[in-house]
């Protein structure tokens, strides 16, 4: 067993847009598992938009990453040493291991994985937090009904693509929004969306709203909110009475809060169209995770739900992959391969 490991820490807090200078790669002493803990060699780690919020010092639903602290991340890896009867060396586990080559974790905080049941990477994406976020938000707050129209942005990402496929299977018209012609083509041809609009080719909220109006002739019943920005500006005027807006993210505003939206404009739409707007953090809903697996895992196995993964190589390349993802540079679930 090596006596050193690598990790990436938060070197400084971003001012507006994050950069590679905000991260630092370090080589440190290998941790040793304490009582009830295991030592894991990380094979794959997840990159997710929520991490940008953890880089800020402001109050949020979770504590920020401290300067000099390992960046937070979910990961999957192999157990090297165990002081728990629940894990043996050679087992594979899912947990919050951080941007690191190795990590110690309490056995009660991690979940054993069977690599013969599904590829390990799916625990970070389609069968993990992003897929679960999509399923829970749509089911609990979208309340889809056959014949309705749903709009979701980041349509080829792990959340958006899952939302769209589940909605289609529930009998809805599904319109996606994505960045670039190729991603829009992918949303329709690979994920079965009825239509997908390129927000990069539609430079303003007004232009995007006009295109959405044409793509959604019966209005919008469900807007699955994961980006904010001009997409929300474009969607709000088109929401039908009693429409539903599950809110799981606002990636367009993570680097900047600039917007033409005002509180009066938003709340007037909510009031006059009788909208239901539900914000949620998926970590508060893991009591429903077994039901999600029971419903969705067979669809993954059968191919009824499709997924894409964008895998970067090497821990040292995690910052670059993360910053690219924040600008829409990934296609599918962004993962970093360490082994």
């Amino acid at each position: 067993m090596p006596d050193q490991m690598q990790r990436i820490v938060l070197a400084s807090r971003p001012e507006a847009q994050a950069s590679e200078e905000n991260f630092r790669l370090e080589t440190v002493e290998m941790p040793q598992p304490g009582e009830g803990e295991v030592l894991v060699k990380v094979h794959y780690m997840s990159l997710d938009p929520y991490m940008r919020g953890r880089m800020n010092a402001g109050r949020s639903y979770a504590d920020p990453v401290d300067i000099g602290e390992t960046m937070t991340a979910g990961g999957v890896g192999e157990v090297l040493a165990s002081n728990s009867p629940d894990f043996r060396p050679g087992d594979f586990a899912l947990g919050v291991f951080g941007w690191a080559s190795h990590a110690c974790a309490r056995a009660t905080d991690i979940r054993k994985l069977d690599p013969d049941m599904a590829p390990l990477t799916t625990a970070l994406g389609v069968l993990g937090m992003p897929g679960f976020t999509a399923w829970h938000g749509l089911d609990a707050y979208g309340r889809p009904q056959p014949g309705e129209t749903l709009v979701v942005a980041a349509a080829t990402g792990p959340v958006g693509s899952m939302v769209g496929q589940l909605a289609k299977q529930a009998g809805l018209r599904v319109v996606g929004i994505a960045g670039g012609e190729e991603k829009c083509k992918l949303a329709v041809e690979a994920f079965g969306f009825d239509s997908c609009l390129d927000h990069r080719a539609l430079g303003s909220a007004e232009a995007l709203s006009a295109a959405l109006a044409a793509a959604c002739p019966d209005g919008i019943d469900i807007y699955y909110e994961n980006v904010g920005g001009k997409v929300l500006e474009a969607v709000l005027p088109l929401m039908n009475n009693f429409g539903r807006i599950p809110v799981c993210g606002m990636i367009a505003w993570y680097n900047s809060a600039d917007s033409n939206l005002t509180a009066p404009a938003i709340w007037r739409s909510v009031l006059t169209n009788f909208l239901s707007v539900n914000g949620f953090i998926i970590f508060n809903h893991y009591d429903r995770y077994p039901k999600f697996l029971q419903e969705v895992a067979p669809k993954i196995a059968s191919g009824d739900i499709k997924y894409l993964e964008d895998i970067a190589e090497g821990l040292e390349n995690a910052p670059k992959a993360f910053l690219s993802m924040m600008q829409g540079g990934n296609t599918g679930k962004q993962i970093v391969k360490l082994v």
Side-chain angles (χ1 to χ4, degrees):
M1 187 181 300
D3 57 6
Q4 291 184 316
M5 58 164 280
Q6 288 190 310
R7 65 176 187 169
I8 291 179
V9 303
L10 181 65
S12 60
R13 299 207 185 278
E15 296 182 7
Q17 190 161 315
S19 70
E20 290 191 51
E21 285 68 36
N22 298 129
F23 305 95
R24 182 174 66 248
L25 178 65
E26 295 183 345
T27 298
V28 296
E29 186 177 348
M30 181 71 69
Q32 298 300 315
E35 184 177 353
E37 292 186 336
V38 300
L39 173 65
V40 174
K41 180 178 182 179
V42 180
H43 285 212
Y44 299 93
M45 54 170 267
S46 175
L47 294 177
D48 299 284
Y50 78 82
M51 297 171 181
R52 176 61 185 82
R54 301 284 180 89
M55 297 172 73
N56 296 335
R59 180 177 177 272
S60 185
Y61 65 89
D63 292 336
V65 176
D66 290 332
I67 300 298
E69 184 181 1
T70 305
M71 284 291 297
T72 185
V76 294
E78 181 183 358
V79 174
L80 297 183
S82 175
N83 290 328
S84 166
D86 297 325
F87 288 89
R88 297 180 300 174
D91 287 342
F92 285 91
L94 166 72
V96 180
F97 303 133
W99 293 28
S101 64
H102 299 76
C104 284
R106 290 180 298 185
T108 53
D109 292 340
I110 63 178
R111 180 165 63 90
K112 189 178 296 185
L113 298 175
D114 183 352
D116 294 326
M117 294 294 292
L120 291 173
T121 53
T122 61
L124 300 174
V126 68
L127 290 177
M129 184 267 290
F132 181 39
T133 297
W135 175 86
H136 173 75
L138 181 62
D139 179 70
Y141 308 123
R143 304 186 295 278
Q145 298 297 319
E148 291 186 327
T149 296
L150 174 142
V151 170
V152 62
T156 60
V159 175
S161 61
M162 175 70 83
V163 167
Q165 290 179 89
L166 292 175
K168 279 298 297 180
Q169 292 176 9
L172 281 72
R173 174 173 177 79
V174 174
V175 177
I177 299 170
E181 184 178 346
E182 287 302 312
K183 286 186 178 180
C184 288
K185 182 178 179 182
L186 196 62
V188 173
E189 296 183 357
F191 296 126
F193 285 46
D194 294 289
S195 177
C196 189
L197 305 179
D198 179 4
H199 68 80
R200 293 179 180 170
L202 299 161
S204 67
E206 292 77 13
L208 181 57
S209 190
L212 275 171
C216 306
D218 297 322
I220 299 170
D221 300 290
I222 304 170
Y223 170 50
Y224 196 104
E225 172 64 294
N226 55 358
V227 298
K230 76 176 183 183
V231 178
L232 178 59
E233 294 182 45
V235 165
L236 274 178
L238 305 177
M239 291 296 300
N240 289 331
N241 286 352
F242 304 103
R244 287 85 69 200
I245 306 179
V247 182
C248 77
M250 300 166 289
I251 190 172
W253 288 329
Y254 288 168
N255 283 326
S256 172
D258 292 341
S259 173
N260 292 322
L261 285 175
T262 63
I266 295 173
W267 288 110
R268 177 175 174 79
S269 293
V270 172
L271 172 65
T272 59
N273 293 303
F274 322 112
L275 303 180
S276 296
V277 182
N278 293 94
F280 69 100
I281 302 298
I282 197 58
F283 302 114
N284 297 328
H285 302 282
Y286 267 86
D287 59 309
R288 301 192 73 207
Y289 187 71
K291 183 177 180 183
F292 159 72
L293 283 182
Q294 182 181 23
E295 181 176 320
V296 174
K299 295 181 179 182
I300 303 298
S302 67
D304 290 337
I305 293 286
K306 298 177 173 58
Y307 65 96
L308 291 173
E309 296 174 337
D310 195 329
I311 300 181
E313 297 273 352
L315 177 63
E316 69 279 6
N317 291 316
K320 184 180 296 184
F322 174 71
L323 297 171
S324 175
M325 177 194 69
M326 294 299 294
Q327 298 296 323
N330 61 307
T331 300
K333 170 62 191 163
Q334 184 63 65
I335 293 171
V336 178
K337 181 180 179 182
L338 281 70
V339 176

